[in-house]
Structure formats: C-alpha cells, structure tokens
Amino acid sequence: MATTRVNVEAIGSYFESLSDPRHVRNRKHLLVDVVVIAVCGLVCGCDGPTAIHRWAANRRDWPDEFLTLPNGVPSRDCIRRVLIALQPEAFQRCFQEWIADALAPAGGGPGRLVAIDGKTLRRSHDAANGLGPLHVVSAWASEHGVALGQVATEEKSNEITAIPVLLKQIELARAVVTIDAMGCQKDVARDVVAGGGDFVIAVKDNQPKLAEAIGSVVEKHLDGELEARKRRRHETDERGHGRRDERFYFVAQVPPDFAARAEWPWVKAVGTAVRVTTHADGTQSDEVRYDMLSRFLSGKRFGEAVRAHWGIESMHWVLDVTFREDESRTRERVLANNLSWLRRFAVTLLKRHPIKDSIRGKMIRCLMNTQFLDEVLTLPAV
C-alpha cells in the first residue's frame, strides 16, 4: 500500500469550494473551520453537535495549529446550524477529491467493485410531524471500505428512485456495481452501462418475467441444452466459527433467444451463487441467489462481487454498534443526512489506517492521541 500523505493543515482546502449558506452578519466562525471540526469530531466518536463542540473545546490546542478560529471554538448551536444549512449533495461533493486521494486509478486491473445498499435510521422518525424514519442509500467501494456517496429518502420503497440519483454522483467507468433485488430496475441497469460500468444485480420475484427467463437459462445450462454457450465457475471452501461454508459460483452466457432480451438488452450473462453451510451439529442449510450481469465475468470475479455485496452488511453493523446510528434521535432531515454521511466517511478514514485494531479501538486512539488522529486523517492511497 502506498503511503501518500495529505497535509493535515491542507484538509480545509477540500471545502473551499463549498458556498457558505449563512447570512454575512452571522458569520462569526469560518465555514471551513466548522466543517473540519465536525469531521474530526465524528472520527473521535462524537454523535452530534453537542459532543463535537465538547471535543473541540477540550482539544483547543490541536485545531489551533491549522485552523483560523477567529472567535474561538464554534458553539454547539453554530455547528448544528451549519450542518442543517449545508445541502447534502454539495457537502458530499467536497469530499470527492479527498476520497480520490485514497483510491488509485483502476489502471489495467479489474474494475472497482461498488456496492449500493440501503439502511434505515430507525429512531430518526418524527411522529409529531408525520415523518417516518429516514432511509439512506449508500455507495461503497467494497474492496477498500470507502464511502463514495449517499442519498436520503423518506421511505425504504423510495430506494428505487434514489439509486439512479446516486449513480449520477459517483464515477462508474470500469466499475462493477452490485445491487440487491430492490435495484433490479431497467433504469438502473441502463444508467450503469451508460456510465461506462457493469452491473451484478440480484433478481427475485419483484421482476417475475425476468426471473422466469433467467431461471430458464439456468435450467437449460444444467440440462446441457446450451453446450455451445460458454460457462464459467468458481468454488470456495471455508471453515470457521463452528461451521463449514462451501460456495459455488456459476456464470453462463445468455442465448440469442433469451426471453427477456427485448426489455433487458443490457443482460449478457446470468450468475448463480450457491452457499451450503454445514453446522457444528452436522445439519446443513443452503442459499441460492440469481444475478443478471452486463458482462460475462469470470467465476472468481462474480464470486468476489457477490461476497463484497454481502460484506456491506458489516459496514451497517459498524454504524449501528460503533457509531450507534440506530439510536440517534436526530429528527431534522438535513442534519440527520449530513451526520449520516460524516459517519460513513469516518468509517472510511478509520478503516484505512493500517494498525491492527477495531474501528472502535481506532476511534478511542483518535480521541486520546492527536498524533494518531493526524495519521487517520491522512488517507493512504491503495
């Protein structure tokens, strides 16, 4: 791993293009100072504006080294007002250069895996105003644990409309995008391919005609009726946690008479992922997943894509257990959205540090040791 360092004093430069939404007469604190303090606070485990202010006030000597702070440390109310006033999409755009420093160009290697998945902030509901919990659809560079962007919606069902919006915010060229069955939509498939990427999208009964057509292709391959069409496979056998997991991945080209070709012209192959689990007591359970692919991937790469998407659940676990996201009672929608993004970016920063420790362990180190915080804020390039 390369160790290209980012000067901590230069972090504020990533946010210089961000327009200050506050009225001129209310600007006692520089926008860049407030945003950088918020980022550092989340990395140190703060859960909101009050904790961010408390951390900064008790670490005054450290931000003084590279922030202007003309009127001292911004108050809790100032931090809150800024995070409410900043539009989430513009706020996230300021992180793109910072993220780019962590992700080396794909070059001639395999395309980057990008997993798109949704998560509900369960306690962000506001019954008094008729608002349910906020649902956030995120994009992750799966192999590196880097947050690429997110879009917030009011309902989980709105994930269908949120995914196309999110796709426009991220770089798709040469990426392999993995999405669960909720994203099995024509607009999504079209947008990924139009952006220069490929997709691996789960297919279930929410698209009955497509599911039937894919099932027919799989059956024909299994019955040997499509010997002329190419097939690829990959297998893994892992033991741990008291069980044995055998995984089988099959990729098959779709035939010229593929029943759903007219409606789904982007589908070039069908992937089947089978997991057989043998438990400690000798019992077995299995799981089968079908995917549509826009490219005839190798069996190994298809397996990596499927595993990477399953692995995104670990990110959600970190957000809930380490950052206590599900317990957050932030009801103001823009504030909740911006804090949610800062948590995901904090996961990116903490996960990238090479020291052997848990995300929470690294967070505590940042809280206790500003030199370690300096290192975490430096994203090493892949």
Side-chain angles (χ1 to χ4, degrees), residues 212-232:
E212 182 180 353
I214 286 178
S216 176
V217 172
V218 173
E219 289 181 8
K220 288 180 179 179
H221 272 285
L222 292 175
D223 293 340
E225 296 179 26
L226 297 175
E227 290 292 342
R229 310 303 297 175
K230 293 181 179 179
R231 289 174 290 178
R232 293 170 175 171

Side-chain angles (χ1 to χ4, degrees), residues 278-315:
T278 303
H279 303 278
D281 61 1
T283 60
Q284 286 190 333
S285 59
D286 59 75
E287 179 180 355
V288 180
R289 162 179 167 147
Y290 295 123
D291 291 89
M292 62 178 187
L293 287 66
S294 62
R295 185 155 59 92
F296 186 38
L297 298 174
S298 69
K300 181 179 180 181
R301 192 57 173 167
F302 170 61
E304 290 169 348
V306 172
R307 292 291 298 275
H309 193 84
W310 283 338
I312 208 67
E313 295 299 329
S314 67
M315 295 294 186

Side-chain angles (χ1 to χ4, degrees), residues 122-143:
R122 298 189 182 282
R123 297 198 66 194
S124 62
H125 56 84
D126 187 359
N129 291 305
L131 296 175
L134 196 66
H135 189 72
V136 175
V137 183
S138 306
W140 299 82
S142 305
E143 294 161 305

Side-chain angles (χ1 to χ4, degrees), residues 65 105 189 196 198 275 321 324 371:
E65 295 179 9
D198 288 295
R275 178 171 65 181
V321 175
R324 307 176 76 88
Q371 182 178 348

Side-chain angles (χ1 to χ4, degrees), residues 68 78 133 146 347:
T68 305
C78 174
V146 175
V347 170

Side-chain angles (χ1 to χ4, degrees), residues 55-133:
W55 167 80
N58 283 279
R59 282 293 187 187
R60 175 64 188 271
D61 56 333
W62 183 76
D64 269 344
E65 295 179 9
F66 60 96
L67 296 180
T68 305
L69 298 177
N71 290 293
V73 173
S75 68
R76 176 204 67 175
D77 290 338
C78 174
I79 295 170
R80 186 175 188 276
R81 284 194 297 268
V82 167
L83 291 179
I84 288 176
L86 290 174
Q87 290 304 306
E89 187 174 346
F91 189 39
Q92 291 176 39
R93 277 200 302 269
C94 295
F95 290 83
Q96 290 178 353
E97 184 181 348
W98 200 347
I99 291 170
D101 287 337
L103 293 175
R112 182 175 299 135
L113 292 178
V114 175
I116 293 179
D117 200 12
K119 180 182 182 299
T120 300
L121 283 62
R122 298 189 182 282
R123 297 198 66 194
S124 62
H125 56 84
D126 187 359
N129 291 305
L131 296 175

